């Protein structure tokens, strides 16, 4: 990358990316947060005078939306494009082209795969009798290691590749990682269901209502498949919470 942007500014940009949703609104989505994050680079490149910054800052204040964790890839690439003195229209076209893929890939990888998998790890640990502090610690460490690692990878890739991030994104095979995480989450879900059913005070002792609920869930999963993962996850969390306090409330 061009030496115009200092290392200190690169660090500040990455740290600012953690609050890219802080000014989310219906008009620009995370556009204003994007502009706030990239501002140190713009100051290095164009100077700190208001009239020099107005144009560059305005183009990054426009509508932009992507998954907050993968937006760091677009942010790093935009820094590279600005440092390489790409024209304004090229930068706008680039941001327009990447926002959709980064949104869909991030939603599938993080919200629909990584988060449920980590939640299920924590639930399995809890049902195996692990202390609450350990369950919470494992969840926080695993989840934050994943999302911070994804942010770092995206930002570094964007800085290095610039407008070529599309090709590198394809080589990264995020879709394959998404599938692996979903398979792991399915395995953990089966393990958790077995622990709930077989443990003392499990569904068998909770009564016919719980057994019926489990049957409904099984049939829904077999007939409908993947679209029911979100309501099924909610039901499992509620069921585990109720079963965990079953002896307390009786």
């Amino acid at each position: 990358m061009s030496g115009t942007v200092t290392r200190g500014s690169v660090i500040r940009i990455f740290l600012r990316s953690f609050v890219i949703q802080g000014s989310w609104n219906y008009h620009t989505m995370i556009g204003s947060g994007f502009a706030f994050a990239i501002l140190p680079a713009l100051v290095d490149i164009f100077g700190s005078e208001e009239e020099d910054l107005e144009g560059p800052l305005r183009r990054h204040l426009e509508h932009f939306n992507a998954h907050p964790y993968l937006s760091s890839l677009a942010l790093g690439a935009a820094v590279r494009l600005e440092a390489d003195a790409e024209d304004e229209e090229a930068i706008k076209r680039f941001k327009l082209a990447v926002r959709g893929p980064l949104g869909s890939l991030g939603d599938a990888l993080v919200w629909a795969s990584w988060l449920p998998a980590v939640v299920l790890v924590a639930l399995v640990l809890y049902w195996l009798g692990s202390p609450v502090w350990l369950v919470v610690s494992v969840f926080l460490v695993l989840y934050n290691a994943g999302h911070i690692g994804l942010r770092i990878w995206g930002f570094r890739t964007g800085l290095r590749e610039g407008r070529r991030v599309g090709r590198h994104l394809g080589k990264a095979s995020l879709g394959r990682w998404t599938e692996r995480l979903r398979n792991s989450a399915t395995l953990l879900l089966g393990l958790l269901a077995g622990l709930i059913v077989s443990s003392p005070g499990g569904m068998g002792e909770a009564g016919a209502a719980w057994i019926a609920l489990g049957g409904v869930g099984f049939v829904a999963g077999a007939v409908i498949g993947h679209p029911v993962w979100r309501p099924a996850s909610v039901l499992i969390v509620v069921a585990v919470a109720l079963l965990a306090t079953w002896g307390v409330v009786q």
Side-chain angles (χ1 to χ4, degrees), residues 1-249:
M1 188 179 71
S2 169
T4 309
V5 181
T6 66
R7 181 179 296 272
S9 292
V10 169
I11 294 173
R12 288 196 298 275
I13 293 165
F14 177 70
L15 293 177
R16 287 182 175 213
S17 72
F18 282 80
V19 294
I20 200 167
Q21 290 180 292
S23 53
W24 188 97
N25 60 83
Y26 286 106
H27 179 61
T28 64
M29 298 296 183
I30 62 172
S32 52
F34 194 101
F36 170 76
I38 203 174
L39 182 58
L42 301 181
V43 171
D44 284 349
I45 296 167
F46 299 100
S48 57
E49 296 298 324
E50 183 176 342
E51 58 271 19
D52 296 327
L53 280 174
E54 182 178 359
L57 188 59
R58 188 181 300 276
R59 64 170 163 262
H60 291 293
L61 278 168
E62 295 180 355
H63 179 276
F64 183 77
N65 195 34
H67 191 279
Y69 300 167
L70 278 180
S71 64
S72 63
L73 190 145
L75 183 61
V79 172
R80 174 66 182 262
L81 293 174
E82 292 285 7
D84 289 347
E86 293 281 352
D87 65 86
E88 179 178 350
E89 286 304 313
I91 295 174
K92 287 183 177 181
R93 288 196 302 269
F94 168 79
K95 291 177 65 178
L96 182 64
V98 299
R99 65 185 184 183
L102 292 183
S104 58
L105 282 171
D107 287 348
L109 177 63
V110 180
W111 301 147
S113 303
W114 178 243
L115 179 58
V118 176
V119 168
L120 286 166
V121 168
L123 288 173
V124 167
L125 286 175
Y126 177 79
W127 208 259
L128 286 172
S130 301
V132 173
W133 67 267
L134 178 61
V135 174
V136 173
S137 298
V138 168
F139 172 81
L140 291 176
V141 169
L142 278 180
Y143 181 74
N144 285 294
H147 94 75
I148 292 174
L150 185 62
R151 287 177 185 269
I152 293 173
W153 170 83
F155 189 61
R156 293 182 63 184
T157 300
L159 283 174
R160 184 179 67 250
E161 302 295 333
R163 65 166 62 247
R164 299 178 306 231
V165 293
R167 285 183 292 178
H168 197 84
L169 195 60
K171 294 179 182 178
S173 301
L174 294 185
R176 189 182 307 165
W177 281 104
T178 299
E179 188 63 28
R180 289 172 179 171
L181 285 170
R182 287 180 178 175
N183 291 338
S184 299
T186 302
L187 179 63
L188 288 167
L189 185 59
L191 177 59
L192 178 63
L195 289 171
I196 292 174
V197 171
S198 62
S199 63
M203 281 191 179
E205 296 184 18
W210 287 108
I211 297 174
L213 180 61
V216 170
F218 176 82
V219 172
V223 175
I224 304 174
H226 182 260
V228 299
W229 75 266
R230 193 181 297 272
S233 299
V234 173
L235 285 174
I236 288 171
V237 172
V238 172
V240 170
L242 290 176
L243 287 172
T245 57
W246 193 267
V248 177
V249 298

